[in-house]
Structure formats: C-alpha cells, structure tokens
Amino acid sequence: MPLFIVRNDIINMDCDIIVNAANSTLLGGGGVDGAIHKAAGKELKEYCKKLGGCRTGEAKITPAFALKQKYIIHTVGPVWKGGFFKEEEKLRSCYKNSLNLAKEYEAESVAFPLISSGAYAFPKKKAINIAKEEITEFLKDNDMTVYIVIFDNKSFEISKNLFKDIKEYIDKNYVDLHFNTYAARARQNIPAPPESYSKSADSLPDDYCESAQLPIDNYFETTELSVSKTQATTDLTCILNDIDESFSQMLIRKIDEKGITDAECYKKANIDRKLFSKIRNNINYKPKKTTAIAFAIALEMDIDETKNFLMKAGYALSHSDKFDIIIEYFITHNNYNIFDINETLFTFDQVLLGV
Ligand code: AR6
C-alpha cells in the first residue's frame, strides 16, 4: 500500500495512528509534541507518566484521548550533532520501531511528522530521505497506508538546480500553444462550425476545411496547426482502431512486457493494491489521471507511450497545465522516481501522483 506526502497539521490527519516526535521523558514539549499533547488533553500526560520515558530510536504507544485517531506512537528522534553519533541509524530505528508497533496494533493507516527535523535540527533533506526509505522498505512486505506529514514548505524543497530547471521548462512550454480556438477563429474571420457539429470529423461539411482555411483539428481544441481533414479522419480511424485495447489491457500487457510482477508495478506506482485489483478486473475501468500517470511512470514509458496510454483512459498531456508539463519534464529526462516527481509537484502546488 502507498506512501503519501501531505501538507497538514498532524492532529488533523484522518488515520488510525499518529506518531509524535517526543523527547525521552515523554511528558510533552514544544513543536509537534506540544501540539499533540495540547490537542489530546491532560490525560495523555498522566498516562505517559507511567511509561517510564523512552530511549532514542525507540517507540511507545498510548491511546489518543481527545484526538480523533485511535492511538499515538511516541518516538524519540536523535539530536543532530553533525552526523558523527549514529544519528541516521537512530532516526531509522524511530521509523522501524514505530511502523512495527503500528502493525502490532493492526493500524491500517499511520501518519508521521518529520521526526528530528525541528528542535533536534536533523537536516531536513536527509530526514525526509530516511523517512521515505524506511517507510518504502516496510511497505514492501506490509499493507498499510503511511503518510509523511509536512508542516512547513521548507521541509520539502527540491534542490535549487532542479527547481530552476523545471521553472525554466514550465516557462518555455506553458500556455503559448494553447489558445481559445473560437477566439482565434473570430480573429481570422473563419465561420463557426455548423449547429449539428458533434466533434466528429465526419460531421463537418465536406468543404469546411478548405473554405475556412483552418485545420479541422482546431475544432478538437488541440494544438496542431497543420492538419488536413483527410489526415484528421485518418487519425480518427487509427484512434478508433486503437480502442481495441483498453487502459486496463494495455496496463497488463506493459507489465508483462517489462517482466515485472503486478505488486512491483503498483508499489512502484505508489498505488493501493485494492485499486490495482479493481483496474485489473475491470477491462473498462477509467482511472483518475494521476493514477494513470503513476502507472506510466512505474512502467517507465517514454513520452509517446505515455500519451497513448493516457488516451486510453480519456486523458492527454497538454502545455496549458503546469502539472502536465512537470510530468513531461520528468519523462523526457528519464527520471521515473515517483517520489522525486511528487516532491516537485508538491513544491509547485500541484496534485500528487498515486491514488
Ligand atoms: N504537525 C505536523 N508537523 C509538525 C507540527 C504539526 N502540528 N508541528 C511541528 N511539526 P519538532 P523534533 C514539524 O521540533 O525535531 C519537542 O520539544 C516541524 O516543522 O516537533 O523531533 C520535543 O518534546 C518539524 O519538521 O520535533 C522534543 O524535545 C517536525 O515536525 C523535541 O521537540 C519535527 O519538529 C523533538 O524535536
């Protein structure tokens, strides 16, 4: 099951268990610890008094009291001292122990803050990488939905170079090609299509393209500006022929061709097993666009394959959408790491891939 990175206050998370970045007394403090104790109420501190503290890297569980989740797991992250005192190893233990405890309590979903990355000064980039690695490793053998909850923008910043590169890519590709076709037609004095027009090449009058001097594709609101009606009709025939294979069928075929298992594919796509089964078992399943793209990324499709694959689910990649341009950037740069992509989408305030 998947890992999600979300921006939220952890106390508002809809999940079974939230994890607290506590100190070794377990009696409360500042940061996320303070927020959790405040929201859970005084009973939490009273309960914690009986636990006898907690060592760095270890984890203990309590009820959630006034909070809406079922339990709180309290773990104590390491204080960053330059990386010379096994800080990374201890932080990994926090995630391992907390996840195992969550499993023991049969949690279906658990939310983590970025442990140690506040008062304990662990470098945020390192902290998030450790969180991702440990959670991903755990999810290889376990069914659970895990959230990393980011509280401030700084915790989740892509590198300056990548940001600059993607920003330039967006600026270069964004919008220019996409314009209102009706407005464009008006500017060029071109007649509107007949009332009976129904987005089918065949429904336009025979002489329409010639008399209008406008490519038929403009009625389909695409960005190609040099397509004749004959070509459009041919394209349409190809598209109709292509309908033979549905999204679900193409997905299964691609998995086979890649020689990977279903589980490897949906895990790499950060997609929930149940959703994958639904798609697999329903030949006509229409996934969300983010789900379809997540599979294209997992299967490392090139840009043309991705477009074809998306078309099967009724979607396209356009240059009038930042989300689409970012996806295109990663595919054309052969970077198929879904977490890198999601970090970037997150930075640019776009929806994330996966469920
Ligand atoms: N929801 C989600 N994340 C939060 C929230 C929140 N409500 N509040 C803060 N964060 P920290 P640590 C983020 O300092 O570094 C306490 O005093 C925050 O932006 O809470 O492990 C304890 O008692 C940061 O990224 O925990 C300990 O003494 C992350 O949570 C000490 O701080 C962790 O920041 C533990 O320090």
Side-chain angles (χ1 to χ4, degrees):
M1 283 225 203
L3 160 65
F4 295 103
I5 299 174
V6 296
R7 190 180 289 140
N8 206 341
D9 183 328
I10 202 160
I11 63 176
N12 295 329
M13 290 298 294
D14 287 318
C15 57
D16 294 339
I17 296 183
I18 56 171
V19 177
N20 181 19
N23 59 53
S24 56
T25 69
L26 296 186
L27 299 180
V32 71
D33 194 12
I36 288 176
H37 270 267
K38 191 170 167 212
K42 288 193 177 116
E43 282 172 291
L44 175 60
K45 189 169 176 179
E46 290 310 310
Y47 191 99
C48 283
K49 280 181 184 167
K50 297 175 206 146
L51 296 179
C54 180
R55 293 217 299 249
T56 303
E58 293 182 357
K60 292 197 173 170
I61 194 160
T62 68
F65 297 103
L67 280 167
K68 63 179 172 178
Q69 300 83 14
K70 291 184 197 150
Y71 301 102
I72 305 166
I73 288 177
H74 306 261
T75 188
V76 182
V79 177
W80 179 258
K81 293 175 188 159
F84 305 110
F85 296 88
K86 299 191 174 168
E87 292 96 318
E88 292 201 14
E89 201 180 308
K90 289 175 186 160
L91 187 57
R92 286 183 192 280
S93 296
C94 289
Y95 285 97
K96 285 193 184 101
N97 288 325
S98 301
L99 287 163
N100 285 329
L101 199 49
K103 182 179 172 184
E104 212 179 293
Y105 279 73
E106 297 178 351
E108 287 186 3
S109 51
V110 55
F112 282 88
L114 212 47
I115 300 161
S116 280
S117 73
Y120 284 177
F122 209 100
K124 285 186 192 280
K125 191 75 197 164
K126 272 193 207 305
I128 200 155
N129 283 341
I130 288 174
K132 280 191 307 194
E133 282 164 18
E134 288 304 323
I135 295 167
T136 309
E137 193 55 35
F138 176 83
L139 291 178
K140 280 186 186 156
D141 305 316
N142 294 284
D143 266 359
M144 202 184 280
T145 298
V146 183
Y147 300 91
I148 299 176
V149 181
I150 305 293
F151 200 50
D152 55 279
N153 278 347
K154 279 227 156 115
S155 308
F156 203 39
E157 267 178 1
I158 53 174
S159 76
K160 283 205 176 66
N161 281 348
L162 181 60
F163 183 88
K164 192 168 156 271
D165 212 20
I166 291 178
K167 180 88 180 39
E168 278 170 13
Y169 193 82
I170 292 174
D171 290 346
K172 205 168 103 203
N173 292 288
Y174 193 40
V175 172
D176 280 1
L177 290 170
H178 186 87
F179 59 94
N180 181 325
T181 50
Y182 280 81
R185 196 163 40 247
R187 275 200 301 278
Q188 295 176 40
N189 259 342
I190 290 161
E195 296 243 315
S196 58
Y197 156 66
S198 64
K199 283 212 170 197
S200 145
D202 293 336
S203 69
L204 289 168
D206 281 345
D207 60 349
Y208 180 74
C209 283
E210 288 78 6
S211 68
Q213 294 291 304
L214 185 77
I216 195 170
D217 252 15
N218 270 20
Y219 276 122
F220 302 111
E221 299 197 332
T222 69
T223 54
E224 281 290 328
L225 293 177
S226 58
V227 181
S228 70
K229 184 188 170 195
T230 325
Q231 191 187 334
T233 315
T234 315
D235 288 349
L236 195 64
T237 314
C238 292
I239 291 165
L240 290 173
N241 286 341
D242 241 13
I243 287 176
D244 284 344
E245 191 184 41
S246 71
F247 174 85
S248 159
Q249 287 170 316
M250 183 166 171
L251 174 65
I252 304 309
R253 174 170 64 83
K254 287 282 165 194
I255 291 174
D256 290 345
E257 280 173 14
K258 270 245 142 209
I260 57 172
T261 64
D262 288 357
E264 279 166 343
C265 177
Y266 66 70
K267 282 187 178 174
K268 195 162 172 223
N270 200 32
I271 298 281
D272 179 287
R273 178 174 50 81
K274 287 186 202 134
L275 175 60
F276 179 82
S277 300
K278 267 195 218 160
I279 300 174
R280 204 183 209 302
N281 297 329
N282 179 355
I283 184 176
N284 293 317
Y285 191 90
K286 188 175 182 307
K288 285 198 295 188
K289 184 172 176 179
T290 46
T291 305
I293 292 178
F295 280 120
I297 298 294
L299 290 160
E300 303 190 359
M301 292 183 185
D302 66 22
I303 197 70
D304 290 334
E305 265 185 313
T306 303
K307 285 179 180 168
N308 185 24
F309 187 54
L310 287 181
M311 201 172 67
K312 308 244 171 221
Y315 303 115
L317 284 181
S318 92
H319 279 182
S320 59
D321 193 318
K322 276 188 194 159
F323 171 88
D324 289 358
I325 296 175
I326 292 170
I327 298 301
E328 187 182 290
Y329 173 92
F330 277 92
I331 293 175
T332 52
H333 287 73
N334 287 321
N335 182 342
Y336 292 100
N337 184 322
I338 205 142
F339 296 114
D340 287 354
I341 299 174
N342 273 345
E343 269 181 32
T344 305
L345 290 169
F346 194 85
T347 304
F348 284 88
D349 270 333
Q350 303 297 309
V351 287
L352 306 189
L353 297 183
V355 184

